[in-house]
Amino acid sequence: MPGKATVKERGAPVGLDIVGVSASYGRLRALNPIDVTVKPGGLALIVGPNGAGKSTLLRTLAGLTQKSQGDVILGQRNLSRMSAPRRAQQGLVLIPEGRGTLPGLTVEENLLLGARLGGAPLDWDTISRYLPRLRERSWQNCASLSGGEMQMLAIARAIAARARILLLDEPSRGLAPLVVGEVYRALKSLNEDGLGMILVEQKSVPLWRAPDETIVLAAGRVIHRAAAARVDEAMLAELYLAGARSS
Ligand code: ATP
């Protein structure tokens, strides 16, 4: 029976303002200045082909790229000079591509690391509200989880860390459509309960609601923005082709 506690009880939803954020690896400019606004409880979708700079954007927001500029404002607080752990403690939590769970640790040990970051005891009730089947696996080594379960664990760890905005790097990657449906159902409930999200995917995928904004990135630049609309596959193919011709 899923617990009744929800992320709503953790405070009013907050927004995220990304202003002129850019990043480089040595001399390679991987991301040109970008602005994105996630309103409280909102959803922004970022799509783009390989090497577009999607992961770089999320990693930069999380404080994990060495050379970056611009402002990252969570609620009223500017996080741009904070270290990665401090940004996560403020509630800006990255769920990286490859999930970032620690093999060798059990499900619960992974969650305890999240809870320690969030500065609160592990709250299984709230996790089970969104991911009802994870608790059965609490003593399992997370290396033995399926890809879908691993993704659920990564989301659960962000809940344990008391995330206020989730940065999701291709959560559907490598998962069968049925499993993607299950992952998205958990994200839907969290988003409906006020957790804001930036969702990165390679393709424009059907989501639980229209994003407030869809941004198409290619070669480190924004090549298209659409408010509250789904960018369909045909349009994406055209945009990528145009991007490839002009680069
Ligand atoms: P994918 O969908 O393949 O994950 P992406 O859109 O997330 O692609 P990034 O991983 O952000 O793209 O990469 C953007 C650019 O930065 C690419 O040219 C990539 O080769 C380069 N890059 C990424 N990480 C590093 C790194 N650690 N060191 C040097 N260059 C990097």
Side-chain angles (χ1 to χ4, degrees), residues 100-111 134 137-147 149-151 153-154 157:
T101 48
L102 293 175
L105 298 188
T106 65
V107 165
E108 182 153 300
E109 284 164 346
N110 268 278
L111 294 177
L134 203 60
R137 306 209 174 264
S138 61
W139 298 107
Q140 193 167 325
N141 181 332
C142 80
S144 64
L145 298 179
S146 68
E149 288 162 348
M150 199 83 97
Q151 185 62 56
L153 173 58
R157 197 177 48 179

mmCIF file of all heavy atoms in Angstrom, residues 100-111 134 137-147 149-151 153-154 157:
data_model
loop_
_atom_site.group_PDB
_atom_site.id
_atom_site.type_symbol
_atom_site.label_atom_id
_atom_site.label_comp_id
_atom_site.label_asym_id
_atom_site.label_seq_id
_atom_site.Cartn_x
_atom_site.Cartn_y
_atom_site.Cartn_z
ATOM 1 N N GLY A 100 23.400 7.024 -12.199
ATOM 2 C CA GLY A 100 24.247 7.486 -11.103
ATOM 3 C C GLY A 100 24.057 6.750 -9.788
ATOM 4 O O GLY A 100 24.474 7.245 -8.749
ATOM 5 N N THR A 101 23.462 5.557 -9.842
ATOM 6 C CA THR A 101 23.330 4.792 -8.594
ATOM 7 C C THR A 101 24.655 4.058 -8.330
ATOM 8 O O THR A 101 25.436 3.834 -9.251
ATOM 9 C CB THR A 101 22.183 3.765 -8.691
ATOM 10 O OG1 THR A 101 22.339 3.062 -9.913
ATOM 11 C CG2 THR A 101 20.841 4.450 -8.676
ATOM 12 N N LEU A 102 24.897 3.698 -7.087
ATOM 13 C CA LEU A 102 26.202 3.129 -6.742
ATOM 14 C C LEU A 102 26.117 1.620 -6.587
ATOM 15 O O LEU A 102 25.564 1.101 -5.619
ATOM 16 C CB LEU A 102 26.702 3.751 -5.434
ATOM 17 C CG LEU A 102 27.041 5.236 -5.536
ATOM 18 C CD1 LEU A 102 27.420 5.790 -4.166
ATOM 19 C CD2 LEU A 102 28.170 5.481 -6.525
ATOM 20 N N PRO A 103 26.672 0.873 -7.556
ATOM 21 C CA PRO A 103 26.642 -0.585 -7.467
ATOM 22 C C PRO A 103 27.466 -1.024 -6.256
ATOM 23 O O PRO A 103 28.415 -0.343 -5.878
ATOM 24 C CB PRO A 103 27.299 -1.048 -8.778
ATOM 25 C CG PRO A 103 28.041 0.139 -9.293
ATOM 26 C CD PRO A 103 27.388 1.365 -8.728
ATOM 27 N N GLY A 104 27.066 -2.145 -5.660
ATOM 28 C CA GLY A 104 27.775 -2.584 -4.447
ATOM 29 C C GLY A 104 26.996 -2.151 -3.220
ATOM 30 O O GLY A 104 27.104 -2.762 -2.174
ATOM 31 N N LEU A 105 26.191 -1.109 -3.359
ATOM 32 C CA LEU A 105 25.329 -0.698 -2.250
ATOM 33 C C LEU A 105 23.920 -1.231 -2.496
ATOM 34 O O LEU A 105 23.503 -1.452 -3.635
ATOM 35 C CB LEU A 105 25.260 0.829 -2.151
ATOM 36 C CG LEU A 105 26.558 1.579 -1.866
ATOM 37 C CD1 LEU A 105 26.270 3.045 -1.600
ATOM 38 C CD2 LEU A 105 27.290 0.971 -0.677
ATOM 39 N N THR A 106 23.199 -1.422 -1.414
ATOM 40 C CA THR A 106 21.814 -1.853 -1.561
ATOM 41 C C THR A 106 20.961 -0.650 -1.976
ATOM 42 O O THR A 106 21.414 0.497 -1.928
ATOM 43 C CB THR A 106 21.247 -2.393 -0.236
ATOM 44 O OG1 THR A 106 21.203 -1.307 0.698
ATOM 45 C CG2 THR A 106 22.077 -3.529 0.325
ATOM 46 N N VAL A 107 19.722 -0.976 -2.323
ATOM 47 C CA VAL A 107 18.753 0.073 -2.661
ATOM 48 C C VAL A 107 18.665 1.065 -1.500
ATOM 49 O O VAL A 107 18.772 2.280 -1.675
ATOM 50 C CB VAL A 107 17.370 -0.575 -2.949
ATOM 51 C CG1 VAL A 107 16.256 0.446 -2.957
ATOM 52 C CG2 VAL A 107 17.429 -1.339 -4.277
ATOM 53 N N GLU A 108 18.496 0.521 -0.292
ATOM 54 C CA GLU A 108 18.323 1.423 0.857
ATOM 55 C C GLU A 108 19.585 2.244 1.131
ATOM 56 O O GLU A 108 19.498 3.423 1.469
ATOM 57 C CB GLU A 108 17.904 0.634 2.101
ATOM 58 C CG GLU A 108 17.676 1.572 3.270
ATOM 59 C CD GLU A 108 16.685 1.030 4.272
ATOM 60 O OE1 GLU A 108 15.532 0.778 3.887
ATOM 61 O OE2 GLU A 108 17.072 0.860 5.425
ATOM 62 N N GLU A 109 20.750 1.629 0.950
ATOM 63 C CA GLU A 109 21.990 2.401 1.179
ATOM 64 C C GLU A 109 22.100 3.558 0.189
ATOM 65 O O GLU A 109 22.519 4.662 0.541
ATOM 66 C CB GLU A 109 23.211 1.476 1.090
ATOM 67 C CG GLU A 109 23.359 0.615 2.335
ATOM 68 C CD GLU A 109 24.306 -0.573 2.139
ATOM 69 O OE1 GLU A 109 24.653 -0.914 0.970
ATOM 70 O OE2 GLU A 109 24.673 -1.183 3.150
ATOM 71 N N ASN A 110 21.713 3.312 -1.065
ATOM 72 C CA ASN A 110 21.700 4.399 -2.051
ATOM 73 C C ASN A 110 20.758 5.511 -1.603
ATOM 74 O O ASN A 110 21.073 6.697 -1.715
ATOM 75 C CB ASN A 110 21.238 3.872 -3.416
ATOM 76 C CG ASN A 110 22.400 3.438 -4.286
ATOM 77 O OD1 ASN A 110 23.040 4.259 -4.935
ATOM 78 N ND2 ASN A 110 22.679 2.139 -4.283
ATOM 79 N N LEU A 111 19.607 5.107 -1.084
ATOM 80 C CA LEU A 111 18.618 6.112 -0.657
ATOM 81 C C LEU A 111 19.100 6.877 0.570
ATOM 82 O O LEU A 111 18.838 8.077 0.703
ATOM 83 C CB LEU A 111 17.276 5.434 -0.370
ATOM 84 C CG LEU A 111 16.607 4.818 -1.606
ATOM 85 C CD1 LEU A 111 15.326 4.108 -1.210
ATOM 86 C CD2 LEU A 111 16.332 5.883 -2.655
ATOM 87 N N LEU A 134 9.378 -0.223 -4.862
ATOM 88 C CA LEU A 134 10.814 -0.170 -4.557
ATOM 89 C C LEU A 134 11.155 -0.732 -3.175
ATOM 90 O O LEU A 134 12.197 -1.338 -2.968
ATOM 91 C CB LEU A 134 11.297 1.281 -4.680
ATOM 92 C CG LEU A 134 12.775 1.471 -4.926
ATOM 93 C CD1 LEU A 134 13.229 0.800 -6.221
ATOM 94 C CD2 LEU A 134 13.126 2.957 -4.962
ATOM 95 N N ARG A 137 12.417 -4.106 -2.499
ATOM 96 C CA ARG A 137 13.789 -4.399 -2.936
ATOM 97 C C ARG A 137 14.839 -3.689 -2.074
ATOM 98 O O ARG A 137 15.997 -3.588 -2.474
ATOM 99 C CB ARG A 137 13.969 -3.936 -4.381
ATOM 100 C CG ARG A 137 12.936 -4.495 -5.320
ATOM 101 C CD ARG A 137 13.472 -4.621 -6.704
ATOM 102 N NE ARG A 137 12.523 -5.277 -7.575
ATOM 103 C CZ ARG A 137 12.552 -6.562 -7.842
ATOM 104 N NH1 ARG A 137 13.486 -7.313 -7.303
ATOM 105 N NH2 ARG A 137 11.660 -7.093 -8.645
ATOM 106 N N SER A 138 14.432 -3.211 -0.920
ATOM 107 C CA SER A 138 15.337 -2.332 -0.170
ATOM 108 C C SER A 138 16.685 -2.984 0.182
ATOM 109 O O SER A 138 17.684 -2.296 0.280
ATOM 110 C CB SER A 138 14.655 -1.806 1.090
ATOM 111 O OG SER A 138 14.316 -2.870 1.916
ATOM 112 N N TRP A 139 16.706 -4.327 0.330
ATOM 113 C CA TRP A 139 17.964 -4.990 0.719
ATOM 114 C C TRP A 139 18.718 -5.561 -0.473
ATOM 115 O O TRP A 139 19.750 -6.202 -0.320
ATOM 116 C CB TRP A 139 17.704 -6.087 1.767
ATOM 117 C CG TRP A 139 17.139 -5.476 2.997
ATOM 118 C CD1 TRP A 139 15.846 -5.563 3.433
ATOM 119 C CD2 TRP A 139 17.818 -4.600 3.907
ATOM 120 N NE1 TRP A 139 15.671 -4.800 4.558
ATOM 121 C CE2 TRP A 139 16.869 -4.201 4.881
ATOM 122 C CE3 TRP A 139 19.112 -4.122 3.998
ATOM 123 C CZ2 TRP A 139 17.186 -3.337 5.915
ATOM 124 C CZ3 TRP A 139 19.433 -3.263 5.028
ATOM 125 C CH2 TRP A 139 18.473 -2.886 5.975
ATOM 126 N N GLN A 140 18.195 -5.324 -1.658
ATOM 127 C CA GLN A 140 18.839 -5.882 -2.849
ATOM 128 C C GLN A 140 20.025 -4.999 -3.270
ATOM 129 O O GLN A 140 19.929 -3.766 -3.216
ATOM 130 C CB GLN A 140 17.784 -5.913 -3.969
ATOM 131 C CG GLN A 140 18.183 -6.741 -5.147
ATOM 132 C CD GLN A 140 16.968 -6.995 -6.057
ATOM 133 O OE1 GLN A 140 15.826 -7.147 -5.585
ATOM 134 N NE2 GLN A 140 17.207 -7.016 -7.350
ATOM 135 N N ASN A 141 21.111 -5.647 -3.695
ATOM 136 C CA ASN A 141 22.237 -4.891 -4.253
ATOM 137 C C ASN A 141 21.732 -4.197 -5.516
ATOM 138 O O ASN A 141 21.138 -4.829 -6.390
ATOM 139 C CB ASN A 141 23.364 -5.877 -4.606
ATOM 140 C CG ASN A 141 24.581 -5.171 -5.171
ATOM 141 O OD1 ASN A 141 24.481 -4.098 -5.778
ATOM 142 N ND2 ASN A 141 25.735 -5.775 -4.965
ATOM 143 N N CYS A 142 21.985 -2.918 -5.634
ATOM 144 C CA CYS A 142 21.357 -2.216 -6.754
ATOM 145 C C CYS A 142 21.954 -2.634 -8.092
ATOM 146 O O CYS A 142 21.339 -2.421 -9.132
ATOM 147 C CB CYS A 142 21.355 -0.709 -6.545
ATOM 148 S SG CYS A 142 22.891 0.042 -6.927
ATOM 149 N N ALA A 143 23.153 -3.284 -8.080
ATOM 150 C CA ALA A 143 23.727 -3.756 -9.345
ATOM 151 C C ALA A 143 22.840 -4.831 -9.978
ATOM 152 O O ALA A 143 22.921 -5.080 -11.178
ATOM 153 C CB ALA A 143 25.121 -4.307 -9.098
ATOM 154 N N SER A 144 21.981 -5.491 -9.167
ATOM 155 C CA SER A 144 21.147 -6.559 -9.725
ATOM 156 C C SER A 144 19.769 -6.056 -10.170
ATOM 157 O O SER A 144 18.915 -6.839 -10.558
ATOM 158 C CB SER A 144 20.985 -7.680 -8.689
ATOM 159 O OG SER A 144 20.284 -7.166 -7.559
ATOM 160 N N LEU A 145 19.557 -4.755 -10.138
ATOM 161 C CA LEU A 145 18.258 -4.222 -10.575
ATOM 162 C C LEU A 145 18.193 -4.163 -12.099
ATOM 163 O O LEU A 145 19.215 -4.026 -12.768
ATOM 164 C CB LEU A 145 18.048 -2.803 -10.026
ATOM 165 C CG LEU A 145 18.000 -2.610 -8.511
ATOM 166 C CD1 LEU A 145 17.816 -1.129 -8.187
ATOM 167 C CD2 LEU A 145 16.877 -3.420 -7.893
ATOM 168 N N SER A 146 16.967 -4.209 -12.626
ATOM 169 C CA SER A 146 16.788 -4.000 -14.067
ATOM 170 C C SER A 146 16.988 -2.507 -14.357
ATOM 171 O O SER A 146 17.005 -1.674 -13.426
ATOM 172 C CB SER A 146 15.376 -4.422 -14.475
ATOM 173 O OG SER A 146 14.449 -3.520 -13.891
ATOM 174 N N GLY A 147 17.086 -2.177 -15.655
ATOM 175 C CA GLY A 147 17.271 -0.768 -16.030
ATOM 176 C C GLY A 147 16.145 0.116 -15.509
ATOM 177 O O GLY A 147 16.385 1.222 -15.007
ATOM 178 N N GLU A 149 14.156 -0.489 -12.902
ATOM 179 C CA GLU A 149 14.232 -0.376 -11.429
ATOM 180 C C GLU A 149 15.342 0.592 -11.013
ATOM 181 O O GLU A 149 15.203 1.346 -10.064
ATOM 182 C CB GLU A 149 14.476 -1.757 -10.820
ATOM 183 C CG GLU A 149 13.257 -2.660 -10.887
ATOM 184 C CD GLU A 149 13.606 -4.140 -10.690
ATOM 185 O OE1 GLU A 149 14.806 -4.507 -10.718
ATOM 186 O OE2 GLU A 149 12.666 -4.921 -10.532
ATOM 187 N N MET A 150 16.425 0.557 -11.786
ATOM 188 C CA MET A 150 17.547 1.461 -11.507
ATOM 189 C C MET A 150 17.103 2.919 -11.687
ATOM 190 O O MET A 150 17.469 3.792 -10.911
ATOM 191 C CB MET A 150 18.675 1.121 -12.491
ATOM 192 C CG MET A 150 20.004 1.603 -12.087
ATOM 193 S SD MET A 150 20.750 0.449 -10.947
ATOM 194 C CE MET A 150 21.778 -0.502 -12.053
ATOM 195 N N GLN A 151 16.323 3.141 -12.738
ATOM 196 C CA GLN A 151 15.824 4.505 -12.966
ATOM 197 C C GLN A 151 14.882 4.932 -11.835
ATOM 198 O O GLN A 151 14.920 6.064 -11.363
ATOM 199 C CB GLN A 151 15.104 4.571 -14.321
ATOM 200 C CG GLN A 151 14.650 5.963 -14.714
ATOM 201 C CD GLN A 151 15.809 6.940 -14.876
ATOM 202 O OE1 GLN A 151 16.728 6.713 -15.642
ATOM 203 N NE2 GLN A 151 15.789 8.026 -14.126
ATOM 204 N N LEU A 153 15.054 3.852 -8.811
ATOM 205 C CA LEU A 153 15.904 4.111 -7.646
ATOM 206 C C LEU A 153 16.516 5.516 -7.739
ATOM 207 O O LEU A 153 16.582 6.240 -6.738
ATOM 208 C CB LEU A 153 17.001 3.036 -7.547
ATOM 209 C CG LEU A 153 18.075 3.269 -6.484
ATOM 210 C CD1 LEU A 153 17.471 3.404 -5.086
ATOM 211 C CD2 LEU A 153 19.104 2.131 -6.501
ATOM 212 N N ALA A 154 16.939 5.885 -8.941
ATOM 213 C CA ALA A 154 17.533 7.215 -9.110
ATOM 214 C C ALA A 154 16.501 8.309 -8.786
ATOM 215 O O ALA A 154 16.825 9.319 -8.141
ATOM 216 C CB ALA A 154 18.063 7.368 -10.531
ATOM 217 N N ARG A 157 15.987 8.334 -5.049
ATOM 218 C CA ARG A 157 17.099 8.984 -4.335
ATOM 219 C C ARG A 157 16.942 10.510 -4.375
ATOM 220 O O ARG A 157 17.237 11.201 -3.404
ATOM 221 C CB ARG A 157 18.436 8.556 -4.942
ATOM 222 C CG ARG A 157 19.587 8.844 -4.004
ATOM 223 C CD ARG A 157 20.879 8.365 -4.547
ATOM 224 N NE ARG A 157 21.014 8.803 -5.930
ATOM 225 C CZ ARG A 157 22.061 8.546 -6.689
ATOM 226 N NH1 ARG A 157 23.044 7.827 -6.218
ATOM 227 N NH2 ARG A 157 22.124 8.971 -7.919
#
